[in-house]
Amino acid sequence: MSRPKNQNYKAYGSSKGKEREQRTSVRFKTTFMNTLIDVLRHRPGWVEVKDEGEWDFYWCDIGWLRENFDHTYMDEHVRISHFRNHYELTRKNYMVKNLKRFRKQLEREAGKLEAAKCDFFPKTFELPSEYHLFVEEFRKNPGITWIMKPVARSQGKGIFLFRRLKDIMDWRKGTAGKKPTSLEAQQARGAVNPSGSHDSRSSDDQKEEIPVENYVAQRYIENPYLIGGRKFDLRVYVLVMSYIPLRAWLYRDGFARFSNTRFTLNSIDDQYVHLTNVAVQKTSPDYHPKKGCKWMLQRFRQYLASKHGPEAVETLFSNMDNIFIKSLQSVQKVIISDKHCFELYGYDILIDQDLKPWLLEVNASPSLTASSPEDYELKACLLEDTLHIVDMEARLTGKEKRVGGFDLMWNDGPVSREEGAPDLSETGNFATNTHLGCINDRKAQLRQLFRSLQSQKKASS
Amino acid sequence: MLQEESDLSLIIAQIVQKLKGSNLYSQLERQAWASLQRPEIKLESLKEDIKRFFKTSGWEKKLQNAVYSELSVFPSPRHPAAPPEHLKEPLAYMRKAQGSWEKRILKSLNSMCTELSIPLARKRPVGEQKELLSKWNEMGTDEPDLSLFRPVYAPKDFLEVLINLRNPNYENGDYLSFRTHLGLIQVPLKVKDIPELKELFVELGLTTGQLGIDDATQVPPELFENEHVRIGQKVLAEQDSAAAQQYVRQGSPTALRAELWALILNISSQPEDILYYEQLKTNVIQHDLLVDSLIYKDVKLTASNDDYYFVFEDYLYQVLLCFSRDTSVLGHFAYNSASPPKSYIRGKLGIEEYAVFYPPNGVIPFHGFSMYVAPLCFLYHEPSKLYQIFREMYVRFFFRLHSISSHPSGIVSLCLLFETLLQTHLPQLFYHLREIGAQPLRISFKWMVRAFSGYLATDQLLLLWDRILGYNSLELLAVLAAAVFAFRAVNLMEVTSLAAAEAVLADLSTLKVMPLLQIFLFATVT
């Protein structure tokens, strides 16, 4: 149960022992009226609570989290779908900082080669704070294209490309000078890095200048891998159950999102070409809703295998695993690891022509609205399996390496496919227990899993 | 014996004559001349030495592949006195039916032409040419107004023609007997039954390893897959067409498929081929044909709306527009029952000197035509290679799916085969569907005409086309169609209307092709 914190309140009841109590009914709450609500409502024994009722499970939006998490008491069994300071991973400026710091640490501890594995993020500078560093880098590489992204917005809003410093000068005078709306200003101010290493403007500065929305300038990847002349990015789902120790699951399905128009560097102003978010594509004049412009990852993996051979594809996917793990490790010490929290991240990955994967961003609230029946199927199964792993019903033993479409990717250390110690593959990455883009026979696996769990319980009782 | 020998020498003579005009011949000649420089070639044993040289350098293999290719395409030996039209189609009533169908298509095309007052062909002004050239790689972004264009015909129109096909020499009889065919096709063609199909498709049997079955996740790869891949690599190293064709009967590994198919179809991208493709591209740039709009419309209606093939839209234009200008395709009309439509220069109607084939390749696209190309985009990314592969697939296989002929791989035989298999092995289902007005062929026809492209998942489709290439026959399309009905029989028995039956069979994208075929052919009690 959850209730508002109260000075005179004293916790009672729930056992602190390792045995998780099996719940006969789970009270859930959510504000999302899409695939998620369908999945929750169909789950046997799960009951919806509305408004101020007490809940055992809350799939919340991050707004609510920010306002209420700190004042909410949660019993041991209660689960909530976000970590308090997830923005350390999902806001572009924080993620860059954490990654840079982690990279330095790796270099100190394990050498340059290991640290180079963190080079999956295009060079990024926070603006306006790192403006001078950015200009230095800019001048070192004349002629390349940069992309400007607002730190806190999603769905492709506010993003633009540029090649000349003049373009940002104009932008600085123009939009940068504009006061962000009160909501955006709240978001910008509310996200304070507890470690305090973040550039904080003194109150004097703030009095003189109009509060500016934070942006990052990132090196634009000019040689993306194209299929049919079109640019695309990959959406992959990673479920993190805890940060300390780090336990992360990788979902086998995902999709590639295609840009509707053909890729060319000539049309920097054409936002539709470069941004592959479905939200942006939907407003493009070329967009036909029936198309959906998405390929399931299985299709993508097969296409690559027929073009480049299975080994190259193995290497690519192994490098993607590396991205997921390293990015999570970089924020491991910073994120408040609350045992009530879990989080389903949507990773956006871009592949370049050398088959190198790049991390574009991590989403704490990946869209759960379906754009097509196939998409609905994917998201519904994804959410069902997420709930299986959250395991409010206390059915799992905790030793499972696979639940439905999720494979346990990291369990305080690499998880190998077979029993025994994991081997190092040629790339120097671990041969992890991941099957991204592979066949997802989740129904059969779940049947087998729950059947064996049931018989185990019968045997032990 | 004597007859066979003379048939054989006739075939040999024909193949030799065909190959003499080919590029390979001049290459072999050049190689032979160049080999004279080699120390091992001695004047006394010139012929033997050159033959040996060809063998070791791989040129003999290339010649073997070319001969094999000709044999695969060549129709079976005919009586030397048979007229050329018998080569196209031996049965007179079929020829007649094809002729009247063609007249109808042409009429439809001409009337569209007159209605819209668009010429069949026109030269593009220079400005337009420049524009098209700059947009060549992204023609999909063009949104011309195609609302007035209609496809010339759709598969269901063609089905109606086939349903009305009758052999005037055959008395169907007014009374029903156990021999009566309950289906829509009422012509007495010989089709294979299951024992004969089992013999033909012996490599698909239960005891032979298959890709599409024995490469599933639960099966350890050591059992079949690893060895099969190794053999595939060996076949490619040997560059042997016949071996490749035999090999893909068990399925082709994803990474090797593109090369294997090219080997079987005897396609090697020579500079001359690339040049030829560029020439076709120039033809497209310079002249605009009415069929171009039909092609555009078809791509926009079918492939662009497909969840998986929309990505390849641009490639489809690049292939199909060039295809319609390719006069070398006219060669296949020697063994195709169809004939290319003839058109006359304006004002010279009927005068043979001013007759041209329209479109230049003689093939008028219909609704869904672009789906023949779409799956190939998955394998080939170089436009000229993609083009060559498609063209070869068309003149070997696809043309049979929309022309009226008695060939065992022709669409008429496939329809009859499908109906016969269903009636023989699922009589209750067949009867039930017929009673509710849902003749099975009405549903399966569109699958077969498109060789299942756009209906199956791509990886399954490619496994199916592996076998089509491997057996050099389209009969598997009919077997698969029957197998699909068998698979969904329980649900189909419960429907009470054609629409409901269509709904049960609307989505084939989850089907696994090879298990279906195997079960239907080898595991069903007959």
Side-chain angles (χ1 to χ4, degrees):
Chain A
M1 291 187 284
S2 66
R3 46 191 100 80
K5 225 181 209 171
N6 191 316
Q7 262 183 327
N8 298 322
Y9 177 82
K10 233 180 144 190
Y12 66 88
S14 12
S15 58
K16 299 282 180 191
K18 284 202 178 132
E19 267 290 313
R20 287 185 58 199
E21 35 180 311
Q22 237 185 355
R23 317 210 65 77
T24 43
S25 98
V26 176
R27 293 162 299 183
F28 73 86
K29 182 172 170 176
T30 185
T31 44
F32 292 98
M33 290 294 133
N34 47 26
T35 323
L36 180 63
I37 192 83
D38 288 345
V39 172
L40 289 169
R41 282 184 183 151
H42 280 101
R43 206 163 170 82
W46 284 48
V47 183
E48 190 174 358
V49 300
K50 302 228 162 89
D51 303 322
E52 296 309 316
E54 285 164 1
W55 42 267
D56 306 305
F57 179 93
Y58 190 4
W59 195 293
C60 62
D61 60 88
I62 48 184
W64 182 94
L65 188 84
R66 199 178 40 245
E67 313 263 309
N68 298 294
F69 186 90
D70 298 328
H71 328 296
T72 308
Y73 175 78
M74 290 186 275
D75 273 347
E76 185 170 338
H77 71 276
V78 170
R79 294 287 177 268
I80 191 164
S81 65
H82 284 289
F83 284 92
R84 176 64 185 88
N85 57 342
H86 57 80
Y87 44 77
E88 292 289 346
L89 183 61
T90 58
R91 280 185 58 138
K92 304 167 185 63
N93 52 345
Y94 293 163
M95 204 254 285
V96 172
K97 270 208 163 34
N98 288 315
L99 199 59
K100 278 184 186 164
R101 196 193 52 235
F102 181 64
R103 191 189 193 287
K104 280 207 190 88
Q105 182 192 336
L106 262 189
E107 197 168 6
R108 269 197 318 266
E109 290 172 7
K112 273 194 158 31
L113 216 60
E114 191 64 22
K117 292 206 194 130
C118 292
D119 292 337
F120 47 77
F121 201 70
K123 254 199 157 47
T124 307
F125 298 95
E126 228 186 290
L127 299 180
S129 54
E130 291 181 320
Y131 183 70
H132 298 289
L133 284 169
F134 162 68
V135 171
E136 205 185 303
E137 182 72 25
F138 186 92
R139 295 224 160 92
K140 267 196 263 176
N141 299 283
I144 63 169
T145 315
W146 293 79
I147 183 167
M148 193 75 89
K149 300 190 202 181
V151 148
R153 286 197 268 179
S154 64
Q155 301 196 324
K157 298 187 204 126
I159 297 184
F160 64 94
L161 300 173
F162 62 94
R163 276 204 193 116
R164 307 169 300 177
L165 276 182
K166 184 178 167 306
D167 296 330
I168 13 173
M169 305 291 200
D170 297 338
W171 166 76
R172 256 181 123 189
K173 288 186 210 128
T175 49
K178 289 201 193 108
K179 212 176 183 155
T181 63
S182 56
L183 183 62
E184 287 166 357
Q186 232 184 358
Q187 279 183 344
R189 262 176 279 157
V192 171
N193 187 335
S195 70
S197 59
H198 184 53
D199 178 64
S200 48
R201 298 178 149 278
S202 69
S203 46
D204 291 351
D205 285 355
Q206 283 189 318
K207 266 189 236 145
E208 286 161 5
E209 291 172 38
I210 309 161
V212 162
E213 201 183 343
N214 278 335
Y215 271 73
V216 290
Q218 191 178 67
R219 190 154 172 179
Y220 184 66
I221 296 164
E222 285 173 326
N223 62 337
Y225 193 90
L226 301 176
I227 296 183
R230 289 168 214 240
K231 186 176 159 179
F232 63 94
D233 72 358
L234 303 179
R235 164 52 62 92
V236 183
Y237 295 100
V238 176
L239 172 65
V240 176
M241 290 306 294
S242 76
Y243 274 95
I244 300 176
L246 181 59
R247 273 176 73 89
W249 299 74
L250 182 65
Y251 199 67
R252 293 186 180 200
D253 290 335
F255 44 88
R257 293 176 295 205
F258 286 90
S259 155
N260 225 350
T261 45
R262 314 305 178 266
F263 179 78
T264 162
L265 284 175
N266 299 334
S267 54
I268 290 195
D269 288 324
D270 186 355
Q271 197 194 32
Y272 303 114
V273 177
H274 298 281
L275 302 173
T276 53
N277 261 327
V278 177
V280 174
Q281 290 301 319
K282 277 190 170 142
T283 58
S284 156
D286 278 345
Y287 181 73
H288 295 289
K290 264 198 271 184
K291 265 192 265 180
C293 18
K294 284 185 194 178
W295 265 15
M296 291 294 132
L297 273 184
Q298 281 80 10
R299 170 59 47 97
F300 171 70
R301 196 171 174 146
Q302 271 167 10
Y303 177 87
L304 279 191
S306 70
K307 198 168 175 196
H308 301 278
E311 295 85 21
V313 174
E314 270 296 323
T315 308
L316 168 65
F317 278 78
S318 163
N319 288 336
M320 290 208 285
D321 287 346
N322 175 60
I323 291 183
F324 307 136
I325 295 169
K326 292 263 179 322
S327 59
L328 291 173
Q329 283 178 325
S330 70
V331 295
Q332 198 178 2
K333 304 225 172 72
V334 175
I335 293 221
I336 303 164
S337 190
D338 187 328
K339 65 171 183 295
H340 300 105
C341 302
F342 69 92
E343 208 153 18
L344 180 65
Y345 295 110
Y347 272 73
D348 291 341
I349 306 274
L350 183 74
I351 317 278
D352 72 13
Q353 274 174 10
D354 303 317
L355 284 188
K356 178 182 156 78
W358 294 89
L359 176 61
L360 293 178
E361 73 168 336
V362 185
N363 281 289
S365 309
S367 162
L368 299 173
T369 318
S371 60
S372 73
E374 199 176 36
D375 198 40
Y376 184 90
E377 185 65 24
L378 180 142
K379 286 175 176 155
C381 295
L382 171 72
L383 291 168
E384 256 179 57
D385 290 342
T386 306
L387 296 177
H388 287 323
I389 293 182
V390 171
D391 200 24
M392 300 294 293
E393 299 92 343
R395 290 182 287 184
L396 302 180
T397 62
K399 296 205 172 58
E400 289 83 6
K401 286 211 274 195
R402 183 185 166 191
V403 176
F406 274 109
D407 292 298
L408 183 59
M409 169 170 64
W410 191 266
N411 185 14
D412 202 21
V415 180
S416 73
R417 285 187 191 162
E418 291 86 26
E419 306 307 317
D423 296 321
L424 280 169
S425 66
E426 285 99 63
T427 51
N429 299 332
F430 295 107
T432 43
N433 177 37
T434 50
H435 300 86
L436 190 58
C438 296
I439 298 176
N440 186 3
D441 53 342
R442 56 179 289 278
K443 280 211 178 88
Q445 198 271 348
L446 287 171
R447 238 195 335 263
Q448 208 178 20
L449 176 68
F450 287 125
R451 209 178 294 153
S452 74
L453 284 172
Q454 245 185 342
S455 56
Q456 269 178 39
K457 263 209 171 66
K458 283 205 186 104
S460 60
S461 62
Chain B
M1 263 299 126
L2 208 62
Q3 182 62 33
E4 277 178 37
E5 273 175 29
S6 66
D7 279 344
L8 193 60
S9 42
L10 184 68
I11 296 173
I12 294 176
Q14 282 171 327
I15 293 182
V16 167
Q17 190 174 34
K18 189 102 185 285
L19 288 180
K20 261 198 173 149
S22 77
N23 190 31
L24 182 63
Y25 182 76
S26 37
Q27 280 180 320
L28 283 170
E29 235 185 349
R30 267 201 303 273
Q31 286 295 317
W33 278 108
S35 75
L36 293 178
Q37 312 283 341
R38 297 176 147 262
E40 62 264 22
I41 312 285
K42 308 241 181 339
L43 200 57
E44 312 84 66
S45 51
L46 189 66
K47 202 170 175 182
E48 295 312 315
D49 289 344
I50 293 189
K51 268 197 199 165
R52 202 180 319 123
F53 166 67
F54 276 164
K55 209 176 192 132
T56 50
S57 59
W59 281 98
E60 186 187 78
K61 203 29 83 69
K62 290 205 175 90
L63 179 61
Q64 244 179 358
N65 289 347
V67 172
Y68 192 74
S69 174
E70 288 300 320
L71 281 174
S72 305
V73 176
F74 224 81
S76 37
R78 310 280 174 174
H79 195 277
E85 62 202 17
H86 283 206
L87 205 63
K88 290 162 71 77
E89 169 52 52
L91 298 179
Y93 74 91
M94 291 261 179
R95 285 202 300 270
K96 195 149 166 260
Q98 173 66 24
S100 39
W101 168 238
E102 276 166 22
K103 279 207 188 75
R104 267 178 66 185
I105 300 178
L106 215 55
K107 202 161 160 218
S108 165
L109 187 64
N110 279 327
S111 66
M112 196 193 318
C113 199
T114 342
E115 259 175 52
L116 305 176
S117 358
I118 296 178
L120 287 173
R122 71 175 174 100
K123 194 166 166 76
R124 280 189 227 268
V126 175
E128 198 183 313
Q129 285 187 33
K130 279 211 182 99
E131 205 193 314
L132 186 57
L133 188 59
S134 67
K135 266 206 318 247
W136 181 256
N137 289 325
E138 38 179 67
M139 280 186 276
T141 51
D142 225 356
E143 294 278 335
D145 179 18
L146 301 167
S147 49
L148 297 170
F149 290 96
R150 322 171 289 275
V152 180
Y153 67 95
K156 60 177 168 21
D157 306 316
F158 188 50
L159 179 59
E160 291 303 319
V161 174
L162 298 186
I163 291 174
N164 292 318
L165 207 54
R166 293 288 182 277
N167 180 351
N169 292 331
Y170 184 74
E171 181 61 59
N172 271 342
D174 294 324
Y175 49 90
L176 296 171
S177 78
F178 71 90
R179 261 197 278 269
T180 312
H181 184 69
L182 293 174
L184 294 171
I185 305 293
Q186 294 290 332
V187 286
L189 292 175
K190 172 128 182 38
V191 291
K192 299 187 172 68
D193 55 13
I194 287 206
E196 288 169 316
L197 290 168
K198 271 160 103 151
E199 225 180 278
L200 173 60
F201 298 120
V202 63
E203 289 88 350
L204 300 184
L206 295 168
T207 51
T208 317
Q210 300 292 335
L211 286 184
I213 297 175
D214 301 295
D215 53 338
T217 39
Q218 304 91 330
V219 181
E222 299 82 48
L223 232 55
F224 167 71
E225 203 181 343
N226 287 349
E227 182 62 16
H228 192 65
V229 173
R230 205 187 56 79
I231 298 178
Q233 284 160 339
K234 195 149 178 262
V235 168
L236 280 175
E238 293 290 312
Q239 284 290 296
D240 189 326
S241 283
Q245 189 165 335
Q246 180 67 30
Y247 173 77
V248 298
R249 289 179 183 187
Q250 290 173 271
S252 164
T254 316
L256 305 178
R257 184 175 276 127
E259 285 178 62
L260 281 168
W261 284 21
L263 182 56
I264 296 172
L265 297 170
N266 205 28
I267 305 273
S268 57
S269 263
Q270 305 290 328
E272 301 84 39
D273 303 312
I274 302 177
L275 213 62
Y276 188 76
Y277 175 74
E278 290 297 317
Q279 182 63 41
L280 292 175
K281 181 175 159 185
T282 315
N283 290 350
V284 176
I285 304 279
Q286 285 177 345
H287 288 90
D288 178 25
L289 301 179
L290 178 67
V291 270
D292 290 351
S293 307
L294 298 176
I295 290 170
Y296 261 104
K297 181 125 195 180
D298 184 46
V299 174
K300 289 279 183 216
L301 283 178
T302 54
S304 294
N305 274 331
D306 186 289
D307 281 335
Y308 289 106
Y309 298 127
F310 71 89
V311 171
F312 302 122
E313 191 183 342
D314 299 327
Y315 291 136
L316 297 177
Y317 297 122
Q318 290 173 30
V319 167
L320 290 169
L321 291 178
C322 290
F323 182 63
S324 60
R325 272 107 174 133
D326 193 348
T327 49
S328 72
V329 174
L330 293 172
H332 91 287
F333 286 108
Y335 51 86
N336 182 355
S337 62
S339 299
K342 253 202 273 207
S343 174
Y344 297 90
I345 306 287
R346 197 183 284 265
K348 309 276 184 203
L349 192 68
I351 307 176
E352 279 313 309
E353 297 91 69
Y354 293 95
V356 288
F357 291 122
Y358 186 85
N361 72 342
V363 180
I364 297 187
F366 56 88
H367 178 67
F369 193 85
S370 55
M371 294 306 282
Y372 288 141
V373 192
L376 301 173
C377 297
F378 219 71
L379 301 171
Y380 303 99
H381 314 102
E382 224 279 296
S384 68
K385 186 119 192 237
L386 174 63
Y387 177 75
Q388 281 184 281
I389 297 276
F390 165 66
R391 181 179 59 184
E392 191 62 27
M393 295 274 292
Y394 183 81
V395 300
R396 279 202 201 196
F397 303 111
F398 296 146
F399 75 90
R400 298 199 190 278
L401 296 172
H402 45 268
S403 52
I404 304 175
S405 84
S406 58
H407 193 274
S409 274
I411 188 70
V412 185
S413 303
L414 295 183
C415 291
L416 191 58
L417 175 59
F418 164 72
E419 290 188 319
T420 312
L421 284 174
L422 215 57
Q423 186 176 342
T424 315
H425 300 287
L426 292 145
Q428 212 181 4
L429 176 64
F430 198 111
Y431 192 77
H432 167 72
L433 289 173
R434 192 170 166 266
E435 286 298 291
I436 62 169
Q439 276 275 6
L441 186 59
R442 288 205 187 275
I443 303 174
S444 64
F445 187 69
K446 55 187 183 290
W447 304 338
M448 293 191 285
V449 167
R450 282 213 208 151
F452 282 90
S453 172
Y455 296 106
L456 294 173
T458 307
D459 62 318
Q460 296 300 312
L461 184 76
L462 293 173
L463 288 168
L464 176 67
W465 285 17
D466 279 339
R467 273 69 177 195
I468 289 180
L469 280 165
Y471 290 102
N472 202 26
S473 151
L474 292 164
E475 284 157 306
L476 269 180
L477 296 178
V479 179
L480 181 60
V484 172
F485 272 74
F487 186 63
R488 299 249 167 108
V490 174
N491 291 12
L492 286 169
M493 283 305 289
E494 291 174 14
V495 299
T496 51
S497 70
L498 173 61
E502 298 258 18
V504 169
L505 295 166
D507 183 11
L508 308 184
S509 60
T510 51
L511 295 182
K512 299 274 178 271
V513 160
M514 297 319 299
L516 278 179
L517 285 170
Q518 243 189 17
I519 292 175
F520 189 79
L521 285 175
F522 295 96
T524 315
V525 176
T526 46

